[in-house]
Amino acid sequence: MTAMAGRAAAERSAAAIECSGLGKRYGRTWALRDCTLSLPEGRVVALIGPNGAGKTTFLSLVMGLAEPTEGTVLADGHPAGGPGALARVAFMGQDHPLYKRFTVADHLRMGCELNAGFDLPWARARLADLDIPLRRPAGRLSGGQQAQVALTLALAKRARVILLDEPVASLDPIARREVMTVLMTRVAETGATVVFSSHVVAELERVCDYLVVMSRTQVQLAGAADDLIAAHARLIGPGGAAAGGEGAAPAGVAAVLERSVSDAQTVLLARLCGPVADPRWESRSVTVEDIALAYMAAPGVRYQPSPRLSAVSGSGS
């Protein structure tokens, strides 16, 4: 294999985003700490966490809008913020910044000038479908229309990695569904990786196939949604002392994320390490939302389902 072919093969096999010990501090306050994470290509990644968890800081570091205090981050195999990464990464901030005096058409022309692969026909067609006039200044658009223009600009770049920070916060339910459909279509067409941040889990569960949960400036959980669902269960068993102690878990449970105990029954949301063979316990499936909310509420518990898919430093039991 030639050196050029070797480099090409390495780029194809690289993770979409690769972080090692990544952290950002403002004064004495850490906005992100100890982030070691590898996100695979071609996925729609839900970045979930409460306000202040570190989601926006993480996206800003990947985009190169901020310098890390510690650690490293690569975007599509290139140092974040460098010329190699800028051409491969698109970003939409949660305030969907636009030049208020520029018309929508001005923004499209700027997108073409700054990005060699900008898909102008697609962008014009999408805005026409949304009845957003190209001649109108951005400052005279509604909040929802501004969000749609900003999203269109980001997607039309045809980047390998698309970072979206709370992109649907200002949209109505119908517009949110349209955005989700557009995202899935673009991923299917281009093979891009989309990282979609939100503190509302339910709106992402339908389209995202990879989950990253952040809480208190750290990554608590990362993995493919199907793997996470398979590794967790809601267990319903005997209550109180009949369970073998105050809410004791049966064999096969690696960690308990939620526990509710009464005299009648014990209910656990648990991560499993094997089959639960005790016939007194009933196992029920859980959703991505169940898992995400449980890890946000249990910041001391961290988990990686497979080193092949993700690497979360300091994982707990």
Side-chain angles (χ1 to χ4, degrees):
M1 179 181 294
T2 66
M4 183 177 296
R7 286 194 299 271
E11 288 186 5
R12 285 193 301 271
S13 62
I17 297 172
E18 191 87 39
C19 304
S20 178
L22 186 64
K24 179 65 178 178
R25 184 179 62 198
Y26 295 96
R28 296 183 177 180
T29 302
W30 286 94
L32 183 71
R33 293 204 75 172
D34 193 24
C35 179
T36 298
L37 183 67
S38 180
L39 299 181
E41 295 178 328
R43 299 293 190 101
V44 179
V45 180
L47 181 62
I48 302 294
N51 293 332
K55 303 185 303 295
T56 296
T57 300
F58 172 78
L59 295 177
S60 296
L61 291 169
V62 175
M63 187 62 201
L65 297 176
E67 289 286 334
T69 303
E70 61 185 18
T72 60
V73 53
L74 300 178
D76 199 40
H78 298 265
L86 289 177
R88 293 169 167 81
V89 183
F91 177 69
M92 175 184 168
Q94 59 182 316
D95 53 352
H96 40 79
L98 299 171
Y99 293 95
K100 305 304 180 185
R101 296 184 180 180
F102 282 22
T103 66
V104 176
D106 291 335
H107 283 88
L108 295 181
R109 283 192 291 270
M110 184 170 59
C112 289
E113 291 291 332
L114 296 177
N115 304 284
F118 192 83
D119 192 345
L120 182 59
W122 178 87
R124 284 177 170 167
R126 182 169 192 269
L127 294 174
D129 288 342
L130 295 170
D131 292 325
I132 296 177
L134 298 184
R135 295 183 179 180
R136 184 166 298 174
R140 293 178 55 196
L141 299 175
S142 69
Q145 288 176 322
Q146 290 183 32
Q148 291 283 20
V149 171
L151 178 63
T152 300
L153 292 170
L155 296 181
K157 185 176 178 178
R158 298 185 67 87
R160 295 291 304 157
V161 178
I162 302 170
L163 309 175
L164 306 175
D165 193 5
E166 301 277 3
V168 299
S170 60
L171 300 180
D172 60 59
I174 295 176
R176 290 185 183 201
R177 175 168 294 186
E178 186 271 342
V179 166
M180 297 301 185
T181 301
V182 168
L183 288 177
M184 289 188 291
T185 302
R186 293 301 272 180
V187 169
E189 291 174 348
T190 67
T193 299
V194 177
V195 182
F196 192 126
S197 85
S198 180
H199 62 279
V200 181
V201 185
E203 69 188 11
L204 301 181
E205 188 168 6
R206 183 173 64 89
V207 298
C208 295
D209 58 7
Y210 202 93
L211 181 68
V212 177
V213 175
M214 300 186 72
S215 180
R216 301 184 187 182
T217 75
Q218 293 189 314
V219 174
Q220 302 299 128
L221 173 73
D226 289 345
D227 292 347
L228 297 176
I229 290 172
H232 295 79
R234 193 176 301 279
L235 303 176
I236 302 174
E246 184 68 16
V253 170
V256 175
L257 301 168
E258 294 178 354
R259 177 185 281 108
S260 174
V261 182
S262 68
D263 291 338
Q265 66 179 14
T266 297
V267 180
L268 309 175
L269 197 158
R271 185 172 78 243
L272 307 178
C273 58
V276 177
D278 190 332
R280 299 177 301 167
W281 290 86
E282 175 189 353
S283 179
R284 296 182 181 177
S285 61
V286 294
T287 66
V288 167
E289 183 175 13
D290 293 332
I291 296 168
L293 293 176
Y295 275 89
M296 281 191 280
V301 182
R302 306 173 73 189
Y303 175 55
Q304 58 178 43
S306 169
R308 175 178 58 85
L309 294 176
S310 62
V312 182
S313 61
S315 297
S317 60

